[in-house]
Amino acid sequence: EAAASDLAGGRAVLDPARIATCLAAAGVEDDVAGRVSMALAHCAAGLLPAGTAGDPEAAFRHALSAFVVAHRAHLLSKFLQGVEQRFPRGGLSEALQALLASGAGSGGAGAEGGSLAAETLRRFLQDTLEMPKADAEFTLEVLLSALCPGALATLEDVDDMAFAVEDFLALGGGRTPLDPELVLGRLSRCGRGLMQCPAKLPRCLRGEGDDEDIQFQAFSAAWASLGEGPATGAPAFLAYALLDIRGRGCISRDETKALILDALPRRAEAAALGEVQVCLLRRLGGGSWEEAHSKLVDAQGALITDHPLAKDVVRISSNDQGHSRSPRKSRR
C-alpha cells in the first residue's frame, strides 16, 4: 500500500519519471532502475480489480501484487534450500527433530499432541537457519499460510497458531520435492490460457454469489482444472499460500482473479524480457540496449542474418507474436 502510494505520487496518470525518482531514492542503480521502471509500467497497464479502473495508485498496487507473489515463492524456496543445506542428510525430517527439541527446551510449549507453535518455528528460522529478523517474520507468515491454509483467517495473532507435525513434513513433497517457482510459473501460464478461453474460468473466480473471498476448499477444487491439471511439486495449498499476499489466511476473489488473469502473466513477460536484455547486453557489449541492438542490424535496420544471435532473435520475436513455429523463409 505504501509503495503504491509513493509510486503514484498523487498524479492522475502513471508517471515514469516518478518511478525513476522513487527507485533512485531507494538506492537502485541506474541500469537496474530502467528495467524495473519498464517492468512496473508494463504490469500496471493491465486488467485492474473491479472498481479501480483509472486509478494510478490501484494500478501500482496491481503491478506490485505480482511481485509480492514472486517474493513469497522466493522465500519458500530459500527456506527449503536452507533446510537442505543445514540438514543435508535428513532434510525436513531432521529439521523437525530440531524443532521438537526446541519446543521441549522451551518447556514443551507447542509440542503437544503432534503440533508445534508458531514461536518455535520463528526461533528455528532466526537461530537455526540464521535468517535476518525481517525475512524470518515474512517467511514465517508464508510458511504458516502453507502449513494451515485458511487457519490464519480465524486468528487475531499469528503467535496463537500451531501446526501439525505431518503438515511440516508435507513441505518436503514426498518423492517429488515441492517447487514454489514451479507453482509461480503454473499460475502465470494458467492466466494466459484463461484469458484466451474465459469459459474455463473456475466458478470460484467468476464473481458468482455474495462471498468476496475464496476459501481454501473452493480453490483446491479448482486448482486441478486451472489450465494444466494435477502437477507434482505444485499442490493447491502452496499456490493458495503464494496468492495470500495480505497474510489474511484467505484470498480475495477480485484480487486473485486480477492476479491470475493479468498481473502474474505480465510479470512473467517482464521478467523474460529483462533476462533477454541482460543476456544480449552481456554477449553483445555496449552500455545500453540501443547500442547492443545496433550491432544486430545493418544500416537499413534489417536483422544481420549471419550474426550468431540472429536465429535466437527471430525465435524470440516469433514467440512474442504468438507463433509456435519459426517464420517461413521469403520466396524472394
Side-chain angles (χ1 to χ4, degrees):
E1 300 289 343
S5 177
D6 196 25
L7 289 168
R11 288 160 172 74
V13 294
L14 300 180
D15 184 355
R18 174 66 184 180
I19 300 177
T21 299
C22 292
L23 293 173
V28 178
E29 297 179 0
D30 291 343
D31 59 335
V32 177
R35 295 198 299 273
V36 173
S37 296
M38 289 189 292
L40 283 175
H42 177 68
C43 294
L47 175 70
L48 300 182
T52 61
D55 182 349
E57 188 171 331
F60 279 119
R61 283 199 302 270
H62 173 67
L64 291 169
S65 64
F67 290 90
V68 174
V69 174
H71 184 54
R72 291 170 76 85
H74 171 72
L75 287 175
L76 276 178
S77 295
K78 190 175 179 180
F79 164 76
L80 293 172
Q81 291 167 6
V83 168
E84 185 177 348
Q85 292 172 2
R86 179 66 177 80
F87 305 100
R89 292 185 178 180
L92 282 169
S93 297
E94 190 176 351
L96 176 62
Q97 298 306 313
L99 274 167
L100 291 170
S102 177
S106 61
E112 301 175 358
S115 65
L116 286 162
E119 176 59 28
T120 303
L121 183 55
R122 177 186 285 113
R123 289 198 308 271
F124 176 80
L125 295 174
Q126 292 181 347
D127 299 340
T128 305
L129 297 187
E130 300 180 344
M131 283 189 180
K133 185 175 181 180
D135 284 356
E137 287 299 320
F138 201 177
T139 303
L140 175 68
E141 185 261 300
V142 180
L143 280 170
L144 292 177
S145 293
L147 289 166
C148 306
L152 287 174
T154 65
L155 302 172
E156 294 183 0
D157 192 338
V158 169
D159 290 335
D160 294 333
M161 189 171 177
F163 58 92
V165 166
E166 56 266 27
D167 290 333
F168 181 80
L169 291 175
L171 291 175
R175 293 182 178 179
T176 304
L178 298 189
D179 189 346
E181 300 296 335
L182 176 65
V183 177
L184 184 63
R186 185 182 180 189
L187 284 168
S188 299
R189 293 190 299 274
C190 287
R192 292 193 188 96
L194 290 172
M195 284 294 287
Q196 295 173 0
C197 188
K200 292 185 178 181
L201 192 69
R203 183 176 181 180
C204 63
L205 289 173
R206 290 178 192 166
E208 301 174 358
D210 298 328
D211 194 354
E212 296 181 355
D213 291 330
I214 303 175
Q215 305 303 322
F216 174 67
Q217 290 76 11
F219 180 83
S220 181
W223 179 238
S225 66
L226 278 175
E228 299 178 347
T232 56
F237 75 83
L238 199 54
Y240 196 81
L242 298 188
L243 291 168
D244 184 18
I245 58 176
R246 300 184 185 276
R248 299 189 303 123
C250 59
I251 56 179
S252 161
R253 181 185 63 206
D254 289 341
E255 191 171 61
T256 301
K257 182 178 179 180
L259 267 170
I260 293 177
L261 294 184
D262 188 82
L264 286 170
R266 281 178 174 271
R267 190 210 71 87
E269 292 166 359
L273 289 173
E275 290 177 6
V276 169
Q277 182 177 358
V278 170
C279 178
L280 289 179
L281 284 172
R282 185 184 302 119
R283 294 179 64 178
L284 292 173
S288 68
W289 175 251
E290 290 76 11
E291 290 179 29
H293 179 263
S294 68
K295 297 183 179 182
L296 279 174
V297 297
D298 58 24
Q300 285 73 41
L303 185 68
I304 301 174
T305 56
D306 60 351
H307 193 286
L309 289 179
K311 292 183 179 179
D312 289 338
V313 173
V314 170
R315 176 179 53 78
I316 292 168
S317 300
S318 176
N319 290 341
D320 194 39
Q321 295 171 20
H323 299 294
S324 59
R325 290 181 288 183
S326 301
R328 295 180 181 178
K329 294 181 180 180
S330 172
R331 295 180 179 179
R332 297 181 181 178

